[in-house]
Amino acid sequence: MMDKLAVLAFLSYALTVLAGGLMAVAARSLVRALAGLILTLFGVAGLYLLISSPFLAFMQILIYVGAVGVIIFFAIMLTRPPAGAEEGEARPARQVVLAAVSGLAPAALLGWACWKYRVAAERVPADVGMGKLGEVLLGPYVLAFELISVVLFVAMAGAVLLGFERKRAQ
């Protein structure tokens, strides 16, 4: 019974990720695309919960849904194109087909690799305590941990710079 519930939860989170991704790609409005991205990020947080990583799920929501979502929204609002600009135009069919192929090719390749080289999973994931996670994040992975803050800073600085450039051009 628990296996069926786990599969059902996985499918619902996977569909949430897929639906949000499709919404982000197909949206004509940047704000709606951001809503699709946020839906996808919530689905990924649910997947973290399924592998017994509540800390990673919380960080996914806090950092990506919260911080990155706000920064992208801030950038959209600062660089908003005038009404009737290119954002509202229909995309050519060739561009839609190329986008679909470029999105499906890596997914198919990764799916094939995961299927061909699958590893037997344990029934219950290993429990990693907060102390061990902190030691790893501040030990061998300290550079990657610090680069997250640099990425957020660069995104915010870029949004502000684009906003100032747009104001100067008017």
Side-chain angles (χ1 to χ4, degrees):
M1 180 67 177
M2 289 302 282
D3 287 343
K4 289 180 183 178
L5 288 177
V7 168
L8 184 66
F10 173 77
L11 288 176
S12 67
Y13 288 134
L15 286 175
T16 301
V17 169
L18 211 60
L22 287 174
M23 189 171 134
V25 171
R28 290 183 184 240
S29 165
L30 289 175
V31 176
R32 288 189 180 135
L34 177 63
L37 174 68
I38 288 173
L39 181 65
T40 298
L41 295 174
F42 270 120
V44 171
L47 290 172
Y48 282 138
L49 287 175
L50 279 180
I51 60 170
S52 298
S53 296
F55 179 73
L56 285 178
F58 178 68
M59 289 296 108
Q60 173 77 16
I61 292 171
L62 186 68
I63 293 171
Y64 288 101
V65 174
V68 173
V70 167
I71 287 173
I72 293 173
F73 186 73
F74 185 60
I76 290 170
M77 291 301 118
L78 280 176
T79 60
R80 192 87 201 197
E86 64 201 39
E87 187 178 325
E89 294 177 5
R91 296 181 182 105
R94 182 174 186 264
Q95 185 180 10
V96 171
V97 169
L98 287 175
V101 168
S102 65
L104 290 175
L109 181 66
L110 285 172
W112 171 81
C114 288
W115 183 260
K116 182 168 172 112
Y117 302 107
R118 61 183 178 259
V119 178
E122 297 178 11
R123 290 302 258 177
V124 179
D127 188 24
V128 178
M130 289 296 139
K132 180 67 175 164
L133 185 62
E135 288 174 15
V136 171
L137 283 178
L138 297 176
Y141 295 110
V142 70
L143 181 63
F145 188 67
E146 290 298 322
L147 284 177
I148 292 172
S149 63
V150 173
V151 168
L152 291 174
F153 172 73
V154 168
M156 184 63 106
V160 170
L161 182 68
L162 285 173
F164 283 138
E165 289 295 323
R166 185 164 179 259
K167 293 275 188 204
R168 248 188 260 161
Q170 289 178 353

